[in-house]
Amino acid sequence: MAAPKIAPSMLSSDFANLASEAERMVRLGADWLHMDIMCRHFVPNLTIGAPVIQSLRKHTKAYLDCHLMVTNPSDYVEPFGKAGASGFTFHIEVARDNWQELIQSIKSKGMRPGVSLRPGTPVEEVFPLVEAKNPVELVLVMTVEPGFGGQKFMPEMMDKVRTLRKKYPCLDIEVDGGLGPSTIDVAASAGANCIVAGSSIFGAADPGEVISVLRKSVEGSQNKS
Ligand code: DX5
Ligand code: ZN
């Protein structure tokens, strides 16, 4: 069984106080910190790059779960490895021709490779990456169109999660976008074990309580199955 991982999306944190926000999330029970790396070509937004990961790494030992919404992920592998990223998740839509080399280089820089897919991308596209001799170790199913926090969860994406969980009982399956106390049960019962949540955690009066609700839902679904 893949262990539950609750990953607050730091995109919703106060970027001017990133180190203390990271420390606060870890103290409140976060397993991973989800870092959204966006270039304006892949999504209509621009966020942070390797220099920020490098600065944050000096302040935390937490697992930095980097989600690269960029058109050329291979350009980012070396800088992110050096900066201290833990996970490196790229999008299949921009890696159809070079995912084998990409996975190899991510591992050679000491990071854990993952692949993500946009809502419009069929789940079958990631099967070869999970079944490869040198496989990805996480699949991130986007439950909103990537680009911004605070969007509405797309429940129709749960078919992808169910398909993946059925095929790969031990795989880390992550969901990202619109997750919170009102949507977690459907994602957890579909089989997601890594939960990214931005606005629902950072916008809550008691973020620690939200983290614990998310975790309990995943644990509850896993105990049933
Ligand atoms: C969207 C990002 C998400 C986002 C999630 O492109 O990948 O990680 O920050 O934020 P919420 O939980 O607010 O939808
Ligand atoms: Zn993300």
Side-chain angles (χ1 to χ4, degrees):
M1 193 82 77
K5 304 280 179 204
I6 309 304
S9 168
M10 301 309 286
L11 185 60
S12 293
S13 75
D14 176 5
F15 270 153
N17 291 295
L18 194 51
S20 64
E21 291 282 75
E23 191 277 325
R24 179 166 74 107
M25 287 301 126
V26 171
R27 183 162 35 84
L28 294 176
D31 301 282
W32 291 354
L33 301 175
H34 185 79
M35 308 302 296
D36 286 304
I37 316 305
M38 303 185 189
C39 84
R40 270 200 80 90
H41 301 278
F42 188 72
V43 289
N45 199 1
L46 175 70
T47 57
I48 57 167
V52 176
I53 300 296
Q54 191 175 355
S55 298
L56 180 59
R57 178 48 85 211
K58 297 195 180 100
H59 298 271
T60 183
K61 293 190 175 68
Y63 185 98
L64 299 178
D65 174 40
C66 298
H67 174 197
L68 284 99
M69 289 158 274
V70 300
T71 45
N72 199 352
S74 53
D75 289 349
Y76 295 72
V77 174
E78 185 162 348
F80 272 70
K82 278 198 185 132
S86 313
F88 186 107
T89 298
F90 59 88
H91 269 263
I92 186 61
E93 299 84 6
V94 290
R96 289 186 176 113
D97 299 331
N98 66 342
W99 57 263
Q100 272 132 326
E101 300 93 282
L102 196 49
I103 294 172
Q104 178 68 49
S105 67
I106 293 167
K107 286 191 176 171
S108 77
K109 301 291 171 208
M111 298 178 288
R112 199 160 170 259
V115 67
S116 182
L117 61 165
R118 301 183 88 122
T121 304
V123 69
E124 292 74 21
E125 283 208 28
V126 303
F127 296 170
L129 287 75
V130 182
E131 292 168 21
K133 218 195 275 167
N134 202 11
V136 288
E137 295 172 30
L138 173 145
V139 174
L140 166 50
V141 175
M142 286 308 298
T143 46
V144 297
E145 219 29 91
F148 301 93
Q151 302 182 78
K152 199 169 163 287
F153 177 74
M154 300 166 78
E156 59 276 25
M157 294 302 125
M158 294 306 99
D159 282 345
K160 294 182 185 178
V161 174
R162 270 187 288 274
T163 302
L164 289 165
R165 180 54 74 214
K166 208 165 160 215
K167 264 174 102 61
Y168 313 114
C170 299
L171 179 68
D172 270 339
I173 302 176
E174 187 168 51
V175 282
D176 183 8
L179 271 308
S182 60
T183 50
I184 185 60
D185 289 347
V186 59
S189 61
N193 68 298
C194 303
I195 312 297
V196 177
S199 40
S200 70
I201 292 179
F202 285 94
D206 185 350
E209 174 60 21
V210 175
I211 292 174
S212 128
V213 167
L214 300 177
R215 184 189 312 287
K216 283 188 186 133
S217 178
V218 176
E219 285 170 352
S221 292
Q222 291 189 338
N223 289 340
K224 270 186 231 148
S225 63

